[in-house]
Structures are given as structure tokens and as C-alpha cells.
Amino acid sequence: MPREFSSPPSETSSLAPEAITVARPPLLGSPGTAASVTRGVCNLLERPAPRWWGPATLLTGLIALFVLATNSYLIGTGMGVWGVQIPVVWGFAIINFVFWIGIGHAGTLISAILLLTRQKWRNSLNRAAEASAVFAVACGAMFPAMHIGRQWMAWYLFPIPESIAAWPNFRAPLLWDVAAVTTYLTVSVLYWYLGMIPDFATLREREKHPWRQKLWAILSMGWSSSAREWNHYEMGYLCLAGLLAPLVLSVHSFVSCDFAAMVLPGWHATIFPPYFGAGAIFGGFAVILVLLIPLRALVPELKEFILPIHIEQMAKWLLTTGSLVGYVYLIELFIAWYGANPFERYAFWNRITGPYALEFWGMLTCNAVAPQLLWFRRIRQRPWIVFGVAVLANIGMWLERFVIIIISLHRDFLPSSWSLYHPTWVDIGLLIGSVGLFLFLFLLFLRFLPVIAMFEVKALCSHSEEASSASAKPASPPLPNLGLTTFGVGARFPSAEALCRAGRALRERGFRKIELYSPFPFHGLAEAAGHGRSWVSACVLGGGLLGFCLAASLEILTSVPRPAALRGILSSHFLDLFFPLVLQGKPYMSTPAFFAVAFETTALFAAIGAVLGILLGSALPRFHKPIFHWDLFSRRGQDDGFFLLVERQDPQFSADLPEVLESMGALEISAVPE
Amino acid sequence: MVHNQSPSDTRAAVPVPAAKWKTLAACLQGAGILFLAASFAGSWWHAREFLHGWLFSFFFFFSLCSGALFWVLLHYVTNAGWGVVVRRQAENVASLFPWVALLFLPIGWDVFWGHHLYEWTSPALAHDPALLAKSAYLNLPFFCLRAIFFFAFWILAAHFFWNSSRLQDGDGDPWRTVRMQKASYGLLVVYGACMTFAAIDWLMGLDFRWGSTLWGGYVFVGAAGASLSLWILIIVWLRERHHLPQVNEEHLHLMGKLLFAFTALWGYFAFSQYMLIWYANIPEETYFFIRRNFGSWNWLAIGLVLGRFFVPFLFLLPQATKRNPRMLALAAGWVLGMQAVELYWLILPRVFEKAVAIGWLEIAVWAGMGSLMAGAFLRRLLSCELYPLRDPRLRESVEVIS
């Protein structure tokens, strides 16, 4: 609920203008009730597709085919079809990789970091942001797989020694990328899916088509939005957010180590990890703005959820991260000069004045200068100007990777080999194809999945409507007969507060087998239903410890020579573990270099622990629950109804229970059949 | 007292024993001056050690004040509501900047006449090509100009926030909040520049041959975390004495989360800087760490990794410790101590090259500055209300749920 500061009545008149400036603006358009949220979001999926959707999807799908076509040509002919050569050994593929991985970051930032920092405006954006994150990371992960040359051997990157008889080099930043991107993609997908489970349940109850209903039912795993489910869900969701927050920074940090760990002027800078993090969030916010601003115009219904305030907030983030990136450009230039290393100084001078000066200045303008327009509120409030800045930011971020990779490479330490980089049509086709693929996936998402996280937006709804519906109470229906076949008694309550009051009152009377149901979680729900603190956090910790131990032992064992005690034994798969390699003069046990893979594996296992914890704790998947037989619950339980269920097995269960419930303010009371 | 009719406010606040604290402040400041005077006498024999000890203590207290200013700025920049009830104490700490500027004077003296701290100031190096390459930045007039600008900015900015907030207690004018918020955006940008270059000038400049792009961020993150720890300690102290009953577990939880986040952030920055230099293994960079991993300094370095990151990180991980005032204060005190250890590890290997040593000079300077600043802080505390009485967001802050 948006918290508005309300001044006391005595001072209202004198405070009137200030109350406006300090007040928290509403985050949801009118009418902003739980039912209107469900209607608004589901309507996007249930109505026929808008006219532009079909052609747009077809077009982007065709563009996405470029990836397939150019990649087939690449596989069939060889790497020579790319523009890479000596010394520019990393061309468009690596630029695109860093570009797309970066874009994913804002999605995770919105969904995880803004959740942790209690920024409620994120609630209506996070689903679309997460979707764009997943698609962007998928688009990005494609490129290094191509870049390894023999794509069918990509599995060599993973520690599967069975047929290779070799282990990956855990001390190489390129392998950290493998761990980071795999983990990031997995955890993002898990988080995305987890967030959709309650919304799938809502869709399941609304869907008329039997097959589609089956699909939603399977996807929602029998979610009933009970207090117990919410209790574990919220804890797991929070833990996942807590994991994703460092994860999102770590991914681009490790990507940046591909460059920063090298001894190459222009690449080796200690600021690279946070710099790449800030840049990634900058680029990601830009992409989300580029997607959402036209979408608001094309799908006017979205204007109820994505208000100008959301655009403005994202514009502020664009300004902040753009300025941070600008800060890094200046610090890099300053330290390159201050460090007084002639090679470093030359590398930066070459950026500014060399053959790629246009790219450098374009990057500087797009990333650091253009966002400065957003200092002015009047500009932030014009979505199409923000859109323009965001487009520039995307171009700028692509150019930034071009500047880092190509400019530092094209003049290496051997001047006789200096040469310029010329992309081929295959390079360009892959870039355009990846953009098409991203847009294509996003258009599919728009059509087939809930674009707005319904249950999270419902938490923003004002509760005044529920209070009024309580006063306009319909004539009480006849109280139900409790036959032998009943599972229990269900009741609907007008508001979250009434539900919690009833839950607490029943528990005080000694009822134990009760459950509360709410379409969205809120503070105090689990406590009112009598659930203790969720133990999902323990699963997260357990998963994390397991992952850490696995990764640490794998890294250590595969890096050290076989201990003397085991030398006499014949080789076996187990003993093949020991695979000592001297690389870059690093010691066998390189704690700083081992950190990346250990961290990523820890996060991966902890995230899997969170998901398993939620499923175990809420006893999901479970498709048949007695309360689903109650017609009213099916209609409103996942929409806007607050329900309470008392099981027949409760020792306090008696025939006068319906009267008791009615005295507590229940609107409809019904027997729930077995 | 219009806005704070909240349930927690029904518990009466115990008034601050003003007279007693005033005496205490005077005693502390007197003791501080005595300590510093004594250490000045010691500087006669060990000028180099004295000045490095002085820089260490100066930077410790500087980081606390500058960090506090960051938290005040961040409060306004993010349009935050939760922190109103605790914000005053950060404002108080930040407003001690004039004292910090005073403590800078011996360093200013050394730059011109002593040449013990910053090698580049020494006339013996005037024709060193490595120095000449960067003399456009590293020269005395520019150095002084920067220092004056930094302090002028910090003193004025801190005073602006402290004073506007204090005046709001009297007139309850919500426009002050709006004005502070509007000012905060630009000020944060200037703050970032000042912090970066102060870190470069005063710490990285100790060795003018060495440079790291992350240095400003690294020093800033440490300062913000340490200052947050001090803030938590002050708040818990006032709360335990029932002077500030408006602060409840939710506020402690939020501050604990921030401390956790900044512990992780410090780990991230410190690791990034160390790992990349270690990995690239270029002699002109690695000697910075080799010098600090030499002999018993290595134990201190390992201790820092454990103590500045792993211990508070794991300790603050469960919710219970963040909500328990004593546990949180313990963590905050630990982090504050670790900030001192870190600065010691950064600065003192230049004097004690062979092994870790703590001389009485360092202790005297640190204790002297500490007492002086603590006394000044107590005076500040008494000069205004303990929390912004009429801030328009006060109710939101008192009712916050973490």
C-alpha cells in the first residue's frame, strides 16, 4: 500500500501545498482494486491479440532466423567467415555477448535489489523486467558458444571428465564466465517461474478452455494461496532475491575479469568489476524503457499499471547509472594519465584520437552526456524523450564494449601486426538476428504469460474498497448444513484485516486446523494463521553450504598433484581427479582465482535449495485440494477473496461454527466437501 | 511535537542528562587536548612515526564524518522515509567536519615543511621523471587548493543539512525537506568527486608511483560502512538509555541490513582490487600488496579478510542478530574496529616495514583525537533535539516495518 503522509487535520490548510510535495504518489492507476488488477492483466491474455502483434511477431521471428542461417554458415564454413583476425581476435561475438549479458542485469536489479530495498514501484515492472533478463542472458550465452569454434564441443567447458580426461582450468576468467552465466541463467529462470506460480493459479481459475486450464494447473502446481504457502513462498522469494543481488553484480564482474585480469593497456583496471556492474544496469534499464514506453502506447490497458511515475523512476536510475559510468570513464582517463605508464597512456590517447575515435566519442555522448538531460523533471516526464535517451544508451553500451575490446586489441604490443577490424556480413547478421530473437521472445511473452505480477501489484491496492464492500453486506445466505461428507467449513471475509482478526480469534479459542487464504501475501498473514517462521532459509543455507563444499573440493582436488599416499594405486575415474597444471605461474592453490566458481556454485545450489524448500514447505505440487471444490473459492480465491477454512478434524469443530464465523464478520459461509 | 502520535511514543523518553554530559564533554575534550599535546612532544623524536600515526587517526575520524554525510545525502537522494527518526545523529556526526579540518593542519604542515608523509612533496624528488610526468596534478598549490575545496564543501554541506533539519524542529516548515532534497542530488555528485580525490590525495598519494582506478570507491565503501557502524552504536546507546524510545527493532533491522550490505560491498571492492592486481601480476602494481603482506603484516592482511568481511558477514546473516540491539552493537563495534585495523594496515607499513608494531604515539594520537571528537559530538548532541521533531516523514519513519 502506498504510504502517504497525511498531516493532522488541524494543520491541513497550512500544509496543503507541502502535503503534495512530500506525499508518496500512488503506484497504481484507478480503480486499483484486486479484482481490477486480475481483470486488467488477464484480459491481455484472454482477448484476441492486437492487430500489430501478429505481423510484429512474424517479422521479428524472421529476423531471429538470421541467427540460425548465419550460424549454419559459420559451422559449415569455419571461423574465417567472421571478421576476427590477429591481433583483433575478439570481434562482434564477444561484444554482443557482453552487451546482452549486461542487459539482463536491470531485470534482476528491478526484481531483486529493489525488492530488498523496499522500492514498491518495482512491483508492476518486475515481471517484464525478469522476462527481458532471461531472454537477454539467453541471447548473450549464445555468442561464447559460437566463439569457441567447434560448437558441438561446448560441453568441454563444464567439468565432465568422462571422455576428455581433462579438467577445466578453474583459474581462468573465461571459465568463471561459464559458471557465472550458467548460474545466472538458471537462477533467473527459477526466480521468474517462481514469481509466476501464484499468477498461473489465477489464470487456472479463470480459464474456460479445458486444455489450457490443464496447462495452467500444471504450471501452477496446485497453488491455493494459503497462508502456509505464502509463508514459505515469501521467505524463499526473499532469499532468492538476496542471492540474486550479489549474483547479478558477480556475473558482470566476472565477465569484466576476462578483460581486467589481462595485462593489456585499456583492459587492466581494478575498477572494471563495479564499472561493468553499473554499466550493465544502465544498459538494462535502457532496454526496459525501450520496451515499455512503446508498449504503453500500443497496449493502453497497461497504463493502469505502468504509470508515468514508473517511467520517471527508471529515468532516474538511467541518470544515476549513466553518471556512474561517466565517473568511471573520467577516473580511467585520469589514472591512465596519473599512472604515467606510456603504454596505458597511449591506449587511452588512441581511444580519444585514433581510428576509432568516433566510437569513443559516441560512447561518451550516449552513455555519459545524454542521460544528463534527465536531471530535469520536465524531461523525465516526457516518455518519448526518455525513450530517445534510452535508445542512445543502448547504442552507447554496445559502443562501449566495442571501444573496450576492439580499440585495445587492434594495436597490440607488436606494431607490425597492427590492423583495423572489419566486421563481415555474418557478424552483422548475427547481431541483427540476436536483436530479432530477443524481441521475438519478448513478443511471445507478452501474448502468453502474465505481463504484470498480479499478486505483487495487488499488495499495492488500496484497501478502502474492501471496507466499503463490508458495509454493503448482502443479506446473509442460509448457513450451511454440516453433513458427514464435509471436509470443513469455509468462509469469505471482506478484507485482509478481518481475515487476520478472525484467524487470531479462532486460534485463541483453541482451533488448530485452520488455514487462511489470501490472493496476495501481507504482513501478519502467517502469524494470524498460526504458522511459525518459515524454515526455507535453512534450506537455502544448506544448499549453499553443499554447493560451496562441492565446488571447493572440485577446484582443489583437480588442481593439486596426487597425494603421495595415493600414488601407488592404479588410476581410476576417482583418482583422475588430480590434474595439476601450472598456468600463468599461478600456484596450484589459488584462492583468489578459485573464488569465482566457488561463489557461483554456492549461489546456484542455494537457489535450488530455496525452490525445493518452497515446494516442500507448501507441499507442492499437489493438484487436488478439498477447497478447490468450493465454487466461490474457485471464483474469487485467486482473484480478490480472503478465505478461511476450518477443517472438520479440528477438535474444536462443532455445529455452531458457522454462527461463530458469521459473528466474526464472515460474508459467505459454506461447507467444503471432501 | 505534532506528527509523532504513535504507539511507541507513549513510552516517555528519558530526558538527556544535559548538565552531566556537558561536563563529560568538557572533560573529554580537555583529555583529548592533553593527549594530543603529549603526542606532539613525542613527535620531536619520532616525527615520521608521529605523522603517520596522525594520518591514520585523522583518516579514521575523517572517514566517520564523511560517511555520515553520505548517509544524510543518501536519505534525501532516495526520498527515504524510514530513517527520519535516526537521521539526526548522522547529521550530528557529519557536522563535526570543522574539527576534522582542524586535525588536517599537521598534515598540511608536513606537506610544506616535513615531507615525512608524501614523498612527492620532497624537494629531493623535484626532478624525478616519474614525478614530473604527473606534476600537473601532484604539486603543492593544487594539492592545497583541493584540500581547501574539499573541506569547504564538506563543512558547508554538512552544516546546511544539520542546520536546516534543526531549524525545522522549530518552525516545522516542510519546505525545508523539499529544499534539502533538491540540493542533495547535486551535492552527492560533488561529494563523490571530493571523496575520490581526497582518497587519492591523502592515501594513494602516500606512494605517488602506485595507482588504482578503484581506490576512491574502495576507500569510500570502507568509510560508509564504518560510519554506519558508528551511527548504529550511537542509536543503540541512546535507545538503551531510553533517550530515544521511538527507535524500535525495525529501525535496527534496517540499519543492520545496510551494515550487512556494506560489509558485502567492502568485500566486493577489496576483492576486486586485490584479485585483479594479484592476477595480472605486474611488478609495478603488486609491490603495494607485497609490502603489506610482508612478515607479520601478512597476518594482519589475512585477519582483515576474515575480520572485515567474513566475521561480520556471517554474524549479520541471520535476522535475529540484526534485530537484537546488543548483537547489532557488537557487530557495529567490530566493524568500526576493523576500519581502524584496515587504515593501520594501509598506512603504517610505511613506518614499521618489518613487522606490525603499535607504538604509544599512535595510541596517544588516536585516543586524543577520539576524545576530542567524542566531546565535540556530545556538545552537538546537546545542542539540538535527538531526532527531527517535525520532519514531515516522521510518522512514516516511526511506523516503518522492515
Side-chain angles (χ1 to χ4, degrees):
Chain A
M1 185 182 144
R3 306 254 309 245
E4 280 181 50
F5 165 65
S6 54
S7 47
S10 58
E11 288 194 19
T12 311
S13 53
S14 66
L15 280 177
E18 292 80 20
I20 296 164
T21 42
V22 205
R24 305 281 186 204
L27 296 173
L28 199 57
S30 62
T33 63
S36 78
V37 170
T38 314
R39 247 194 335 271
V41 177
C42 293
N43 185 31
L44 296 174
L45 306 181
E46 289 160 359
R47 62 166 192 194
R51 252 182 311 163
W52 53 267
W53 185 84
T57 312
L58 187 70
L59 182 70
T60 51
L62 286 176
I63 297 175
L65 285 180
F66 275 30
V67 174
L68 216 59
T70 43
N71 194 33
S72 311
Y73 180 62
L74 178 74
I75 293 174
T77 318
M79 295 292 274
V81 301
W82 274 353
V84 287
Q85 23 87 348
I86 302 294
V88 188
V89 288
W90 282 0
F92 267 30
I94 300 296
I95 299 174
N96 298 343
F97 162 63
V98 183
F99 174 72
W100 281 116
I101 295 287
I103 282 172
H105 283 53
T108 320
L109 180 108
I110 288 182
S111 53
I113 298 183
L114 296 188
L115 178 79
L116 296 177
T117 50
R118 310 177 317 129
Q119 300 289 306
K120 293 200 165 143
W121 58 273
R122 76 175 261 293
N123 286 16
S124 40
L125 300 174
N126 68 336
R127 177 68 45 73
E130 283 162 30
S132 81
V134 171
F135 302 148
V137 175
C139 281
M142 210 161 68
F143 286 101
M146 291 177 192
H147 203 276
I148 57 173
R150 283 176 271 181
Q151 296 170 31
W152 51 96
M153 287 161 114
W155 56 277
Y156 270 44
L157 294 168
F158 296 94
I160 311 165
E162 200 58 34
S163 315
I164 329 173
W167 287 95
N169 172 19
F170 291 109
R171 284 163 285 182
L174 290 175
L175 198 89
W176 306 347
D177 278 7
V178 176
V181 173
T182 314
T183 302
Y184 187 41
L185 190 58
T186 317
V187 179
S188 295
V189 170
L190 284 178
Y191 192 68
W192 189 45
Y193 176 64
L194 205 63
M196 282 191 287
I197 289 179
D199 287 1
F200 286 144
T202 308
L203 288 166
R204 173 192 71 205
E205 301 304 343
R206 286 176 65 93
E207 186 62 60
K208 303 282 185 298
H209 190 283
W211 283 106
R212 260 178 291 179
Q213 195 193 17
K214 284 252 166 5
L215 177 69
W216 295 134
I218 291 168
L219 284 175
S220 68
M221 297 203 261
W223 179 266
S224 64
S225 55
S226 65
R228 176 183 171 192
E229 286 167 357
W230 281 127
N231 189 22
H232 295 299
Y233 184 87
E234 279 217 286
M235 176 59 88
Y237 202 61
L238 204 65
C239 287
L240 267 181
L243 283 170
L244 267 169
L247 195 62
V248 67
L249 285 174
S250 80
V251 173
H252 229 49
S253 300
F254 293 137
V255 169
S256 81
C257 291
D258 294 349
F259 309 105
M262 304 298 122
V263 189
L264 193 67
W267 281 13
H268 178 62
T270 49
I271 208 167
F272 259 44
Y275 157 45
F276 268 46
I281 291 162
F282 175 67
F285 265 107
V287 161
I288 292 170
L289 281 167
V290 166
L291 290 174
L292 288 184
I293 291 174
L295 202 62
R296 274 179 92 236
L298 288 170
V299 188
E301 292 88 336
L302 280 179
K303 286 188 179 165
E304 187 192 334
F305 304 105
I306 301 169
L307 309 178
I309 175 98
H310 291 107
I311 308 283
E312 211 188 320
Q313 291 285 8
M314 286 197 280
K316 284 184 192 166
W317 269 98
L318 207 59
L319 170 62
T320 312
T321 45
S323 304
L324 276 177
V325 169
Y327 165 88
V328 176
Y329 294 157
L330 296 181
I331 285 292
E332 268 194 312
L333 279 174
F334 174 73
I335 296 286
W337 171 82
Y338 178 93
N341 178 323
F343 301 103
E344 197 75 28
R345 277 189 177 183
Y346 175 75
F348 279 86
W349 187 245
N350 185 36
R351 277 189 190 181
I352 299 170
T353 60
Y356 294 110
L358 193 67
E359 281 83 351
F360 173 80
W361 290 105
M363 163 193 98
L364 201 67
T365 316
C366 293
N367 291 348
V369 180
Q372 304 304 325
L373 281 175
L374 300 171
W375 277 98
F376 305 100
R377 170 171 288 174
R378 211 158 301 148
I379 288 181
R380 287 198 305 266
Q381 284 173 340
R382 299 229 162 92
W384 289 105
I385 300 185
V386 177
F387 178 78
V389 173
V391 170
L392 282 182
N394 275 320
I395 298 171
M397 283 318 286
W398 193 86
L399 284 176
E400 181 190 296
R401 280 65 185 249
F402 184 93
V403 164
I404 292 172
I405 294 172
I406 306 291
I407 300 189
S408 281
L409 283 174
H410 87 282
R411 291 192 177 167
D412 65 352
F413 290 112
L414 189 67
S416 62
S417 73
W418 286 3
S419 76
L420 294 180
Y421 171 75
H422 300 287
T424 62
W425 65 268
V426 181
D427 288 308
I428 295 165
L430 274 173
L431 172 62
I432 295 173
S434 69
V435 175
L437 180 64
F438 176 77
L439 291 176
F440 176 65
L441 291 172
F442 195 80
L443 283 168
L444 290 183
F445 157 74
L446 274 186
R447 186 66 197 129
F448 296 111
L449 292 173
V451 184
I452 309 278
M454 285 185 266
F455 78 92
E456 296 202 61
V457 174
K458 282 176 190 170
L460 300 174
C461 291
S462 61
H463 294 255
S464 54
E465 192 264 348
E466 286 138 15
S468 67
S469 78
S471 59
K473 190 175 161 182
S476 333
L479 296 175
N481 259 342
L482 301 180
L484 274 176
T485 54
T486 51
F487 174 73
V489 171
R492 187 174 80 84
F493 284 86
S495 68
E497 290 78 30
L499 180 73
C500 286
R501 268 199 306 276
R504 272 194 292 269
L506 282 178
R507 286 188 53 75
E508 269 167 32
R509 290 176 179 226
F511 283 88
R512 286 296 170 268
K513 293 211 169 251
I514 61 170
E515 187 54 295
L516 310 184
Y517 296 85
S518 160
F520 57 87
F522 52 85
H523 190 77
L525 176 67
E527 175 261 318
H531 298 304
R533 239 177 80 84
S534 165
W535 41 261
V536 172
S537 48
C539 296
V540 176
L541 192 68
L545 281 176
L546 176 68
F548 177 78
C549 293
L550 276 177
S553 45
L554 183 67
E555 285 185 302
I556 293 168
L557 288 179
T558 55
S559 302
V560 296
R562 194 191 292 191
L566 299 176
R567 291 227 172 107
I569 308 171
L570 277 177
S571 198
S572 73
H573 283 315
F574 175 71
L575 291 175
D576 281 345
L577 269 177
F578 303 102
F579 197 74
L581 283 176
V582 180
L583 285 155
Q584 303 153 320
K586 304 266 178 289
Y588 289 139
M589 285 284 296
S590 304
T591 319
F594 284 168
F595 174 77
V597 174
F599 171 80
E600 298 297 337
T601 319
T602 308
L604 179 67
F605 278 69
I608 293 172
V611 174
L612 288 181
I614 292 174
L615 293 182
L616 273 176
S618 340
L620 295 176
R622 188 171 168 209
F623 299 100
H624 298 287
K625 289 177 184 169
I627 195 162
F628 289 155
H629 298 307
W630 185 15
D631 183 48
L632 182 71
F633 180 82
S634 294
R635 255 188 302 122
R636 297 189 66 175
Q638 312 300 328
D639 179 5
D640 66 341
F642 299 93
F643 288 86
L644 188 150
L645 176 73
V646 185
E647 282 182 32
R648 192 190 174 78
Q649 286 168 350
D650 196 294
Q652 299 285 319
F653 192 87
S654 61
D656 65 337
L657 188 59
E659 285 85 9
V660 173
L661 287 172
E662 198 182 16
S663 71
M664 287 173 179
L667 297 180
E668 287 102 348
I669 301 163
S670 163
V672 177
E674 191 76 58
Chain B
M1 297 277 283
V2 186
H3 299 307
N4 52 337
Q5 296 126 350
S6 67
S8 64
D9 208 22
T10 50
R11 262 187 304 154
V14 176
V16 173
K20 210 170 111 191
W21 283 9
K22 209 162 255 169
T23 330
L24 182 65
C27 291
L28 276 172
Q29 291 205 303
I33 289 169
L34 267 179
F35 269 120
L36 291 183
S39 65
F40 264 111
S43 74
W44 190 257
W45 291 281
H46 299 287
R48 189 173 160 80
E49 183 190 337
F50 166 76
L51 276 159
H52 280 82
W54 186 279
L55 179 69
F56 154 70
S57 300
F58 160 78
F59 211 89
F60 179 74
F61 292 103
F62 158 75
S63 65
L64 295 181
C65 286
S66 58
L69 182 58
F70 166 74
W71 291 110
V72 175
L73 281 167
L74 192 74
H75 178 89
Y76 287 106
V77 165
T78 55
N79 199 2
W82 70 272
V84 171
V85 76
V86 292
R87 197 189 62 221
R88 176 60 48 82
Q89 300 314 321
E91 289 165 357
N92 280 343
V93 176
S95 72
L96 300 180
F97 251 117
W99 289 95
V100 178
L102 199 68
L103 295 177
F104 185 73
L105 291 180
I107 296 170
W109 173 84
D110 178 75
V111 169
F112 282 101
W113 293 286
H115 313 305
H116 293 292
L117 283 173
Y118 302 107
E119 202 186 353
W120 63 267
T121 59
S122 153
L125 281 172
H127 301 290
D128 186 289
L131 179 59
L132 282 177
K134 48 188 92 171
S135 60
Y137 182 79
L138 289 183
N139 59 65
L140 280 181
F142 193 28
F143 179 88
C144 295
L145 207 66
R146 287 195 302 267
I148 291 168
F149 176 77
F150 297 157
F151 279 116
F153 168 75
W154 279 321
I155 290 172
L156 289 176
H159 181 77
F160 166 67
F161 285 104
W162 180 78
N163 198 40
S164 302
S165 175
R166 187 180 59 98
L167 291 176
Q168 198 179 42
D169 291 347
D171 58 16
D173 179 5
W175 280 107
R176 290 188 189 281
T177 302
V178 176
R179 274 199 295 273
M180 282 190 275
Q181 197 170 334
K182 281 211 176 336
S184 64
Y185 306 114
L187 290 179
L188 190 62
V189 174
V190 184
Y191 174 89
C194 286
M195 200 64 200
T196 307
F197 286 101
I200 289 175
D201 277 2
W202 300 341
L203 280 191
M204 204 170 92
L206 281 172
D207 182 348
F208 71 90
R209 292 179 185 87
W210 189 83
S212 163
T213 40
L214 192 53
W215 189 259
Y218 165 67
V219 170
F220 159 72
V221 167
S227 170
L228 176 63
S229 303
L230 178 70
W231 192 15
I232 290 173
L233 285 176
I234 294 169
I235 293 295
V236 171
W237 170 61
L238 287 175
R239 184 179 177 265
E240 293 292 288
R241 295 180 58 101
H242 303 292
H243 300 313
L244 203 55
Q246 291 82 359
V247 173
N248 55 37
E249 285 176 352
E250 305 294 336
H251 300 101
L252 297 181
H253 191 183
L254 286 165
M255 293 175 101
K257 284 198 247 183
L258 279 177
L259 186 60
F260 178 76
F262 268 75
T263 300
L265 211 56
W266 180 87
Y268 173 51
F269 275 54
F271 176 75
S272 297
Q273 181 164 278
Y274 174 77
M275 190 272 286
L276 288 172
I277 288 175
W278 171 85
Y279 203 104
N281 207 7
I282 307 174
E284 58 200 66
E285 286 179 352
T286 43
Y287 79 92
F288 177 88
F289 285 111
I290 290 171
R291 177 179 279 181
R292 282 160 185 79
N293 290 351
F294 185 79
S296 47
W297 286 107
N298 194 29
W299 293 108
L300 204 62
I302 295 170
L304 262 179
V305 174
L306 296 175
R308 182 74 171 83
F309 174 69
F310 280 101
V311 171
F313 183 85
L314 294 175
F315 186 77
L316 286 170
L317 200 55
Q319 209 180 59
T321 43
K322 281 175 285 205
R323 295 180 77 90
N324 181 325
R326 269 148 217 267
M327 293 289 182
L328 184 63
L330 191 68
W334 176 267
V335 172
L336 203 56
M338 279 298 143
Q339 166 78 357
V341 174
E342 189 193 358
L343 288 174
Y344 203 84
W345 176 76
L346 285 174
I347 296 168
L348 271 298
R350 290 173 52 80
V351 184
F352 308 120
E353 286 175 10
K354 297 273 182 300
V356 184
I358 300 176
W360 67 268
L361 257 177
E362 285 83 47
I363 297 173
V365 172
W366 191 85
M369 278 194 203
S371 321
L372 200 65
M373 299 294 283
F377 172 76
L378 271 184
R379 280 169 197 269
R380 271 290 136 127
L381 187 91
L382 294 172
S383 72
C384 53
E385 301 289 342
L386 288 182
Y387 64 98
L389 290 182
R390 300 177 73 180
D391 190 289
R393 290 266 165 75
L394 185 61
R395 182 195 273 284
E396 186 182 330
S397 173
V398 171
E399 291 172 353
V400 76
I401 291 173
S402 162

